[in-house]
């Protein structure tokens, strides 16, 4: 191998190495650019998302923004349609006018060329070439501006005469390739007819629109195609200027329409927006707020009517608030004033009750009735005092951690005599042995005692089931009876004060009509839920849901409100069952597991209804 070969081999290796290096650098550059683009997209996307959400929020909340934007979009769409239509009509008219002119001029010029060729007396090659050149140059109409261009081409596949000296000629460095094939075929097959076609032809470094008009001419027995090309660049510039004027005028009109729509909408919507703000303040309790009224038009009359309505509402609300305060004060004062005489009457009733055995049967019965009614009167008075504390906002929550089963045990023990009287079993079911809740045990005891006594009173001697369950945030206690039940409308009003589903129904135990109302207020102090479900003939279910920690929020109750089934599914989890036997002495015992044949209340988790 010679020195030249070794040198060439080294050059090839060097070039290959440099190519690999530059290829690697190019890949690295592409990767870096793509990474930068991806980072830019990730950074821009939150901004675009925020902008889109802001526009949607503005669209939903602002009538003025929605009206102005809708007007602008409709105006832009209308002007775009009208502008496109006008532009198309103007372009079509300009083209048709230029086409008619081109066809007329082409007929005249082609006739002149044919007459010149027919009258020519030339026999040598140079004379023929000079004649063709001069004739076509005259057709071109050269001056300061070329009026038309030409392409002169012999019709292909001609055998006679064989001594023709001109095959093709064109102006301005054009060739027959610029002529559309469809036009050439029509001219070649069309005899002496004239044909035209739209086209583009190069002029310098740009392509210009034009019209090519084709004819056939003969010279010295040879058939030629003569195409006259008319430049439409001037018409195109005119059309572009007209379009620019149309779009500029349309943009100006759109802006003017937008400004007018904004001004008109603002004048109409501003009072409405002001009325909305005033309405929100009135709803928030700022009853002194009023609208500013200007003028005497419809909006001014609306503002005056709104102010009159607000003043009337303020007066009525003030009267109702005053009346409510007077009623609350009256109940509180009367309750407090009745405590002293009631205490005296109760002491006297107790003395008579204790000495009733020494009375004759009629006086003995009177002493017993007096004692029982005084007890009921004292219970009603205690409930009224408690309600007055809630109304005055003087009720205070004394919360501390305590096992809710201790409270339930105390409630069930106290309700044992009532259960024995009605002949109902009270069954407690829970999967947990202890659930510690931050609560006011006195108030929770009162709530559960009220629910259990109501269930026993209306349970008609059937079993009463108490279910307890807890989740991460809350604990729920459900008291289920199988008595007369109640409708959905009655369940919605069961917590109203002094409300009874059946006013004619005789009540033998307690019954001030305020127990469930007080229970609802106690539950509200704990930030909990107290809900009722019932069905005629199927009993009712009351569910108390409390947050495990004071100030906590309940997201979902551990027990469902509407009981699906009494029997618990076999989950393999230890159950705790406590049964109060309705015998002469309540038997309280703790049993683990599911006893055969025993009915258990539902403790499957359920959400808030």
């Amino acid at each position: 191998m010679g020195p030249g070969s070794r040198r060439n081999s080294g050059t090839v290796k060097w070039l290959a190495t440099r190519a690999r290096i530059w290829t690697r650098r190019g890949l690295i550059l592409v990767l870096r650019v793509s990474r930068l683009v991806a980072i830019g997209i990730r950074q821009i996307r939150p901004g675009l998302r925020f902008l889109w959400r802001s526009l949607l929020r503005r669209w939903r909340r602002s009538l003025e923004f929605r009206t102005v934007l809708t007007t602008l979009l409709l105006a832009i769409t209308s002007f775009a349609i009208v502008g496109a239509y006008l532009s198309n009509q103007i372009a079509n008219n300009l083209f048709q006018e230029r086409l008619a002119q081109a066809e007329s001029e082409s007929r005249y010029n082609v006739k002149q060329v044919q007459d010149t060729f027919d009258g020519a007396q030339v026999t040598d090659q140079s004379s023929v070439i000079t004649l063709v050149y001069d004739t076509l140059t005259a057709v071109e109409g050269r001056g300061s501006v070329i009026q038309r261009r030409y392409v002169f081409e012999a019709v292909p596949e001609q055998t006679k005469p064989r001594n023709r000296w001109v095959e093709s000629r064109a102006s301005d460095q054009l060739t027959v390739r610029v002529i559309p094939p469809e036009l050439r075929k029509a001219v070649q097959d069309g005899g002496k007819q004239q044909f035209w076609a739209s086209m583009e032809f190069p002029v310098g470094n740009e392509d210009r629109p034009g019209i090519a008009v084709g004819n056939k001419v003969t010279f010295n027995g040879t058939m030629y195609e003569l195409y006259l090309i008319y430049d439409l660049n001037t018409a195109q510039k005119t059309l572009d200027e007209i379009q620019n004027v149309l779009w500029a005028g349309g943009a100006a009109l759109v802006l003017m329409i937008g400004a007018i729509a904004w001004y008109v909408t603002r004048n109409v919507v501003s009072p409405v927006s002001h009325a909305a703000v005033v309405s929100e303040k009135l709803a928030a309790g700022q009853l002194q707020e009023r609208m500013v009224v200007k003028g005497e038009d419809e909006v001014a009359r609306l503002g005056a009517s709104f102010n009159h309505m607000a003043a009337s509402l303020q007066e009525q609300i003030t009267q109702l608030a005053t009346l409510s305060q007077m009623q609350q004060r009256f109940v509180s004062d009367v309750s407090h004033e009745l405590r002293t005489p009631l205490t005296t009457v109760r002491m006297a009733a107790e003395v008579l009750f204790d000495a009733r055995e020494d009375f004759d049967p009629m006086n003995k019965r009177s002493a017993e009735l007096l004692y029982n009614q005084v007890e009921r009167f004292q219970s009603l008075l205690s409930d009224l005092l408690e309600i007055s504390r809630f109304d005055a906002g003087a009720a205070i929550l004394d919360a501390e951690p305590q096992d809710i089963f201790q409270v339930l045990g105390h409630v069930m023990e106290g309700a044992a005599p009532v259960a024995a009287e009605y002949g109902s079993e009270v069954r407690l079911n829970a999967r947990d042995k202890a659930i510690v809740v931050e609560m006011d045990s006195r108030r929770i005891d009162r709530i559960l005692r009220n629910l259990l006594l109501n269930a026993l009173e209306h349970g008609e001697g059937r079993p009463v089931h108490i279910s307890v369950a807890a989740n991460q945030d809350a604990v729920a206690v459900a008291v289920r009876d199988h008595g007369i039940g109640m409708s959905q409308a009655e369940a919605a009003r069961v917590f109203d004060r002094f409300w009874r589903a059946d006013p004619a129904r005789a009540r033998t135990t307690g019954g001030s009509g305020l127990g469930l109302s007080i229970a609802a207020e106690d539950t509200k102090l704990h930030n909990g839920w107290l809900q009722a479900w019932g069905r005629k003939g199927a009993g009712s279910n009351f569910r108390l849901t409390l947050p495990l920690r004071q100030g906590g929020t309940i997201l979902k109750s551990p027990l469902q409100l509407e009981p699906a089934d009494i029997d618990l599914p076999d989950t393999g989890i230890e159950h705790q069952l406590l049964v109060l036997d309705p015998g002469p002495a309540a038997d309280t015992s703790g049993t683990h597991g599911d006893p055969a044949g025993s009915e258990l209340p539902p403790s499957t988790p359920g959400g808030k209804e």
Side-chain angles (χ1 to χ4, degrees):
M1 183 181 292
S5 299
R6 286 196 297 271
R7 189 164 50 251
N8 291 335
S9 177
T11 302
V12 171
K13 291 180 179 179
W14 181 82
L15 290 175
T17 303
R18 299 302 297 176
R20 286 196 298 272
I21 292 173
W22 283 107
T23 301
R24 190 178 298 111
R25 289 179 178 177
L27 291 175
I28 293 173
L29 180 62
V30 170
L31 289 175
R32 288 180 178 177
V33 171
S34 61
R35 188 178 304 165
L36 290 175
V37 171
I39 292 173
I41 292 175
R42 285 197 299 270
Q43 291 179 350
I44 293 175
R45 187 179 300 171
L48 294 177
R49 190 181 297 114
F50 174 78
L51 179 61
W52 176 249
R53 290 178 179 174
S54 299
L55 289 176
L56 287 180
R57 190 181 305 109
R58 184 81 172 173
W59 174 271
R60 292 193 302 268
R61 296 185 178 182
S62 177
L63 178 61
E64 179 181 352
F65 177 79
R66 190 161 61 246
T67 303
V68 173
L69 185 59
T70 303
T71 304
L72 284 176
L73 291 176
L74 292 176
I76 291 173
T77 303
S78 302
F79 280 117
I81 295 174
V82 174
Y85 174 76
L86 292 177
S87 177
N88 181 66
Q89 290 297 317
I90 293 172
N92 186 56
N93 291 335
L94 287 175
F95 180 80
Q96 293 297 331
E97 181 182 356
R98 195 71 181 93
L99 175 61
Q101 182 181 0
E103 289 180 332
S104 176
E105 292 181 359
S106 296
R107 291 190 186 93
Y108 175 79
N109 286 285
V110 167
K111 185 176 183 303
Q112 293 292 328
V113 170
Q114 188 62 61
D115 291 343
T116 301
F117 286 166
D118 291 343
Q121 300 294 328
V122 290
T123 56
D124 59 294
Q125 181 178 359
S126 60
S127 299
V128 169
I129 294 174
T130 301
L131 177 64
V132 171
Y133 177 75
D134 292 341
T135 303
L136 295 177
T137 301
V139 170
E140 192 176 27
R142 281 187 176 273
S144 58
V145 178
I146 299 178
Q147 298 178 0
R148 64 189 70 83
R149 293 168 176 81
Y150 67 86
V151 173
F152 189 70
E153 181 76 15
V155 176
E157 299 180 0
Q158 293 187 89
T159 56
K160 295 181 180 180
R162 296 181 180 275
N163 60 345
R164 62 176 181 269
W165 294 301
V166 179
E167 289 290 337
S168 64
R169 186 171 293 275
S171 65
D172 204 14
Q173 299 180 353
L174 296 177
T175 63
V176 75
R177 295 178 181 177
V178 302
I179 305 301
E182 297 83 1
L183 179 60
R184 289 202 63 190
K185 188 175 186 306
V187 171
Q188 293 171 7
D189 299 340
K192 293 295 184 177
Q193 296 179 5
Q194 180 173 274
F195 301 92
W196 67 272
S198 299
M199 59 172 293
E200 286 187 350
F201 62 95
V203 177
N205 296 326
E206 64 175 345
D207 290 336
R208 293 185 178 181
I211 299 175
V213 182
N215 290 270
K216 279 184 181 179
V217 295
T218 56
F219 182 50
N220 286 340
T222 303
M223 190 72 68
Y224 290 91
E225 303 170 27
L226 176 58
Y227 300 96
L228 299 182
I229 301 172
Y230 294 85
D231 193 349
L232 298 182
N233 190 50
T234 303
Q236 184 63 45
K237 289 182 178 180
T238 302
L239 180 62
D240 292 341
E241 291 178 357
I242 293 174
Q243 290 178 343
N244 292 335
V245 170
L246 286 175
W247 294 124
L253 285 176
V254 166
L255 293 177
M256 292 176 61
I257 290 175
I260 294 172
W262 173 81
Y263 177 76
V264 174
T265 306
R266 183 175 180 82
N267 288 337
V268 175
V269 174
S270 292
V272 179
S273 302
H274 181 54
V277 172
V278 174
S279 300
E280 292 174 355
K281 292 182 178 180
L282 288 173
Q286 303 178 21
L287 302 178
Q288 73 281 357
E289 289 292 328
R290 296 293 184 271
M291 288 184 61
V292 178
V293 179
K294 296 180 181 179
E296 300 178 356
D297 54 8
E298 292 82 359
V299 177
R301 293 199 299 272
L302 174 63
S305 301
F306 184 90
N307 291 340
H308 179 70
M309 178 189 67
S312 177
L313 288 176
Q314 181 182 12
E315 182 180 357
Q316 294 180 14
I317 291 173
T318 303
Q319 291 178 356
L320 290 175
T322 303
L323 180 60
S324 177
Q325 292 176 359
M326 292 176 60
Q327 291 175 345
Q328 294 173 9
R329 190 179 301 111
F330 174 78
V331 171
S332 178
D333 293 344
V334 169
S335 301
H336 281 84
E337 291 297 329
L338 286 177
R339 294 183 67 180
T340 301
L342 180 61
T343 303
T344 304
V345 172
R346 181 182 179 184
M347 292 174 61
E350 289 178 352
V351 172
L352 295 174
F353 184 76
D354 293 337
R356 68 185 183 279
E357 298 299 334
D358 299 333
F359 299 158
D360 59 80
M362 183 177 295
N363 291 330
K364 179 181 178 180
R365 179 57 178 166
S366 299
E368 292 175 351
L369 290 175
L370 176 63
Y371 180 80
N372 292 331
Q373 293 304 317
V374 168
E375 287 287 337
R376 186 174 180 182
F377 187 22
Q378 187 172 15
S379 175
L380 174 60
L381 186 60
S382 299
D383 290 343
L384 287 174
L385 287 172
E386 190 66 23
I387 284 291
S388 66
R389 293 190 190 99
F390 285 119
D391 292 338
I396 300 175
L397 189 67
D398 185 14
E400 60 181 11
Q402 189 169 352
D403 187 2
I404 196 168
F405 287 107
Q406 295 181 1
V407 179
L408 271 171
H410 181 265
V411 170
M412 294 175 67
E413 184 178 357
V418 180
E421 180 182 354
Y422 283 100
S424 297
E425 289 183 347
V426 180
R427 300 179 179 181
L428 172 65
N429 176 78
R431 290 189 172 92
D432 300 306
K433 293 183 179 180
I435 301 176
V436 178
V437 186
E438 293 183 5
M439 60 181 175
D440 189 335
S441 59
R442 181 182 66 86
R443 297 183 183 276
I444 299 302
D445 182 283
R446 181 165 58 191
I447 295 172
L448 296 176
R449 184 175 67 253
N450 199 299
L451 297 181
L452 181 55
L453 292 178
N454 280 340
L456 291 172
E457 181 181 353
H458 298 89
E460 297 186 340
R462 297 186 179 93
V464 175
H465 301 269
I466 303 177
S467 302
V468 184
N471 56 21
Q472 297 178 354
D473 305 313
V475 61
V477 180
V479 180
R480 170 82 161 99
D481 68 76
H482 302 80
I484 59 176
M486 54 185 173
S487 63
Q488 294 183 357
E490 292 171 348
R493 297 194 56 194
V494 73
F495 299 106
D496 294 346
R497 298 178 183 180
F498 299 106
W499 184 85
R500 298 181 62 189
D502 185 7
R505 181 180 173 86
R507 184 174 289 147
T508 59
T509 61
S512 65
L514 296 174
L516 290 178
S517 300
I518 295 174
E521 296 291 343
D522 285 333
T523 305
K524 190 182 301 181
L525 283 178
H526 286 81
N527 196 27
W529 302 342
L530 182 58
Q531 299 159 295
W533 169 89
R535 183 179 298 166
K536 287 292 187 180
S540 58
N541 187 43
F542 286 81
R543 184 183 67 183
L544 171 66
T545 309
L546 301 173
L548 293 177
R549 289 164 294 279
Q550 185 179 3
T553 302
I554 303 173
L555 300 178
K556 183 178 181 181
S557 180
L559 294 175
Q560 63 184 17
L561 180 59
E562 181 176 354
D565 191 7
I566 295 302
D567 294 328
L568 286 171
D570 186 8
T571 58
I573 304 175
E574 186 181 58
H575 293 22
Q576 185 181 28
L577 180 66
L578 178 64
V579 179
L580 288 182
D581 192 357
D587 180 19
T588 304
S589 62
T591 306
H592 297 286
D594 278 338
S598 63
E599 294 185 358
L600 300 177
S603 59
T604 53
K608 178 183 178 182
E609 282 74 20

